Amino acid sequence: MRPISRRQALLLGGLGAAATAAGGAGLVWSLSSRPAPLIGSGLVQPEELHSESGLLQVRLEAAPGQLQLAGREVSALGYNGSIPGPTLRFRAGDTLKITLANSLSQPTNLHVHGLHVSPDNNGDNVFVTVTPGSSFDYEYRLPGNHPPGLYWYHPHHHGMVADQVFAGLFGAIIVEDPQGIETSAERVLVVSDTSVDQLGGIRAASAMDRMAGREGDLLLVNGQSNPEFSALPGQRERWRIVNACVARYLRLRLDGQYLQLLGQDSGRFEKPQDVDEVLLAPGNRADLLVTAAAGESVLRSFRYNRGTMAGMMGAGPAPGSAVEGTEGTVLATFRVAGEPAAPPPGIPRQQSPADLRQAPVAARRQIIRSAGMGMGGGGMMRFTINGREFDASRTDTTAAAGSVEEWTLINTSPMDHPFHLHVWPMQVIGDSGGSPEWRDVVNIHANGQVKVRVAFADFRGRSAYHCHILDHEDLGMMGVIEVL
Ligand code: C2O
Ligand code: CU
Ligand code: CU
C-alpha cells in the first residue's frame, strides 16, 4: 500500500464529489482501457488473527489508500491496508478487543455483524461515532454458548454505510467450532462488488443507484477478480462465503462439485444439507463443504431478480424469481486434478440448534417496510419501517429481556428487502416442520411476509434493525430496538 495524495484523499472523502472531478494526469484510465480480469492469479486469503488464552486484541485502521483491487491499484478504503480487512478468529467465551482508528476524512464506526454480544457502551454499539483522526476501543465478550459460524464486520455510521462498504471496508469473523470438521483446506471467500471510475477511484452512487441499491461493475472474491485455486479429487474443503455486497444478491453455483451446507449466518444445521445452489442476500453468509471431483469448476453467481422501483408501475418480471438463461458472473475457478485423496472421515454431529417454535410468545409485532414517494417531492422515495424513517434518538420497539417475541416482517414494496436484526438472531417460522432455521438476515420478497421468532436473551440495551440493502439503510429504512 502506498500513501495517497491529499487530492485523492479528498476525492475519497467526498465520494459524492468524485464523479464530477475531472483531469488528474497520470491517474486517468477508463473502464474500457483497464486490463481484462486477471485469470490465473491464486486466491489470496486475508491475514488471519487468532485469539490466545481467551483474548483477541487487534487494531483496525480504516484508511484511504492505493489498494489492490481486481488485480490493480485503486484509490479505495481498507482496514489495515487491505480489502478485505483481516479475518478475526476466536471462540465462544472469548473477549475481542478492537481499537478502531479512523484515518478517513469522514466519521465511521464498527459493527460486528451477527455476533450475539452486548450492544451497550463500547460493545456492538452502532450509535458510537468515531470522528476523523480519533480512535475508539471496542470490547466484545462472547457468551460461552455463542454459536460457531461465520460473521463479519463493517462500518455502521448512518448515512455513510453503503459508501464505506462499497469502497472496501469489511472483513470476516469466524467463531470456531467446539468440535472441528476435518478438511484439507479452509478458505474464506468474502464476495464484494464495486465500481471503479475514470480516475481510478471508487465510483460515486447516483440518487437512482441509492434507491435501487447500488450494484458494482466488478464482482470480487477477497478483492480479486476470478482468482483460482486447486484441490485433489476426493479432498474435502471448507468454504466460508460472506456476501459483503451493498445490494447485490448472490445466487451461487459450483457445478460439477458436491456441496453441503453446514449452516447459514448464525450457527449450524444439525446435519449438513446437500445443495446445488445457495442464495445469499446482502449480509448473509454460507458455511459450505466442497468435496472435490476431478475437473475444472467455476464458482458463478447467477442473476436474481429482486424487483425494481419500476415494478411500482407493474413492469418487469415477478421479483423473487431466478432469472435464467444467463451464464452468470464468474467469481472464482476451482481446478481439481491429480492423485485421488483418501475419502474424508464423517462429519461429527453438530449441536442441535435451539428451537423457539414451542416457546411461549410474550409479544407479537408487525414490522412493515415500505418504499413510496415522499411528501417533499424531489423524486426521492421514502424508505421506511412502520411508516417512519430512522431517527437515532427515537426508540421504535421495546422488548423485555428474557422474553420470546414473534415478528411478522412485511414488505409492501415492489422490491425484495433483506431484513437484519442486530445482536439477536431470528428463527424463521415456516409453515412446514423441518429443522430450525436461524438467520440474522432474512429476505422478504416484494409484497411478501415472513414470520420470525426472537429470544431476547442475555443482553439489554439499544440496537438496530434495518434493510441490509445498505443504501436503503442509509436512506432511513432502519429502526431502533431497546431491550429492557
Ligand atoms: Cu451488517 Cu446493521 O449490519
Ligand atoms: Cu448487523
Ligand atoms: Cu431495502
Side-chain angles (χ1 to χ4, degrees):
M1 179 187 153
R2 286 202 320 255
I4 72 162
S5 71
R6 175 163 164 77
R7 203 187 67 86
Q8 284 170 287
L10 288 172
L11 286 176
L12 285 163
L15 283 167
T20 54
L27 272 173
V28 180
W29 49 276
S30 67
L31 278 177
S32 52
S33 70
R34 76 170 191 238
L38 286 187
I39 302 197
S41 68
L43 175 73
V44 175
Q45 288 292 286
E47 181 194 4
E48 295 206 335
L49 303 170
H50 301 250
S51 66
E52 266 173 62
S53 332
L55 175 67
L56 175 59
Q57 188 150 16
V58 295
R59 179 184 157 88
L60 288 180
E61 183 191 17
Q66 291 294 109
L67 303 175
Q68 279 295 320
L69 210 51
R72 55 190 178 275
E73 287 199 339
V74 173
S75 296
L77 306 180
Y79 288 116
N80 297 0
S82 67
I83 301 175
T87 300
L88 310 180
R89 305 188 71 126
F90 43 89
R91 309 186 157 272
D94 284 358
T95 296
L96 168 64
K97 293 186 179 183
I98 300 180
T99 297
L100 176 71
N102 182 3
S103 300
L104 308 175
S105 56
Q106 53 184 220
T108 190
N109 64 9
L110 194 72
H111 169 50
V112 283
H113 179 128
L115 289 188
H116 179 55
V117 292
S118 169
D120 258 353
N121 301 316
N122 64 338
D124 188 29
N125 183 347
V126 292
F127 305 104
V128 163
T129 298
V130 185
T131 54
S134 70
S135 67
F136 188 83
D137 294 322
Y138 289 94
E139 182 172 329
Y140 313 95
R141 290 163 189 272
L142 271 73
N145 63 353
H146 194 289
L150 176 61
Y151 304 89
W152 63 301
Y153 59 90
H154 61 78
H156 219 286
H157 185 78
H158 181 63
M160 297 176 179
V161 181
D163 283 350
Q164 292 183 359
V165 169
F166 200 63
L169 292 175
F170 47 80
I173 292 176
I174 292 172
V175 179
E176 309 281 5
D177 296 315
Q179 192 193 6
I181 297 175
E182 250 186 74
T183 55
S184 58
E186 188 172 319
R187 307 182 192 274
V188 172
L189 307 177
V190 182
V191 180
S192 66
D193 67 349
T194 197
S195 299
V196 175
D197 68 18
Q198 304 227 336
L199 298 173
I202 302 298
R203 194 169 72 210
S206 67
M208 276 306 286
D209 289 338
R210 289 174 198 273
M211 288 189 282
R214 74 187 77 177
E215 295 195 13
D217 303 332
L218 300 169
L219 189 55
L220 305 171
V221 175
N222 297 347
Q224 296 176 277
S225 194
N226 190 15
E228 65 169 46
F229 46 100
S230 56
L232 301 174
Q235 282 186 324
R236 181 167 70 201
E237 300 201 344
R238 179 143 178 203
W239 296 7
R240 309 215 192 219
I241 308 174
V242 181
N243 183 356
C245 298
V246 166
R248 186 191 293 262
Y249 285 57
L250 302 173
R251 198 156 66 83
L252 302 174
R253 296 187 67 95
L254 181 71
D255 292 347
Q257 303 295 330
Y258 175 48
L259 308 180
Q260 293 168 289
L261 196 58
L262 288 170
Q264 243 182 286
D265 292 0
S266 186
R268 205 48 64 64
F269 305 142
E270 207 161 346
K271 283 195 228 109
Q273 296 174 1
D274 291 1
V275 290
D276 293 323
E277 187 175 299
V278 181
L279 176 67
L280 298 180
N284 279 142
R285 290 88 62 205
D287 195 339
L288 200 63
L289 287 180
V290 178
T291 306
E296 183 182 296
S297 295
V298 177
L299 179 66
R300 293 172 196 271
S301 179
F302 288 82
R303 260 195 61 73
Y304 171 84
N305 176 14
R306 59 185 174 87
T308 61
M309 284 304 157
M312 298 275 274
M313 289 75 174
S321 56
V323 180
E324 299 296 345
T326 70
E327 285 286 279
T329 306
V330 173
L331 278 170
T333 302
F334 183 51
R335 291 183 210 290
V336 183
E339 266 318 291
I347 300 166
R349 200 179 177 79
Q350 304 296 305
Q351 214 196 329
S352 314
D355 192 349
L356 301 178
R357 279 174 291 195
Q358 307 306 325
V361 170
R364 292 190 153 80
R365 303 177 196 278
Q366 291 193 333
I367 307 279
I368 304 172
R369 282 178 309 161
S370 21
M373 295 316 279
M375 303 298 283
M380 277 307 270
M381 321 217 33
R382 290 182 71 232
F383 288 82
T384 59
I385 298 187
N386 292 348
R388 303 196 282 202
E389 281 160 328
F390 175 69
D391 177 349
S393 64
R394 184 187 67 220
T395 297
D396 298 284
T397 302
T398 307
S403 69
V404 171
E405 297 202 353
E406 182 171 283
W407 292 10
T408 304
L409 310 172
I410 299 172
N411 177 359
T412 64
S413 84
M415 311 171 78
D416 288 21
H417 296 283
F419 180 84
H420 174 48
L421 171 63
H422 286 202
V423 183
W424 300 276
M426 300 171 277
Q427 183 182 353
V428 178
I429 307 294
D431 305 322
S432 54
S435 54
E437 255 191 82
W438 287 87
R439 293 275 188 287
D440 54 55
V441 177
V442 176
N443 187 46
I444 318 295
H445 290 312
N447 299 308
Q449 59 177 62
V450 174
K451 259 192 189 97
V452 297
R453 287 189 179 181
V454 184
F456 289 100
D458 305 330
F459 305 113
R460 293 166 201 266
R462 286 178 95 231
S463 194
Y465 47 82
H466 58 87
C467 180
H468 219 287
I469 289 178
L470 296 173
D471 284 301
H472 293 171
E473 177 204 330
D474 283 335
L475 289 172
M477 201 177 253
M478 174 150 71
V480 175
I481 178 165
E482 181 161 16
V483 177
L484 296 167

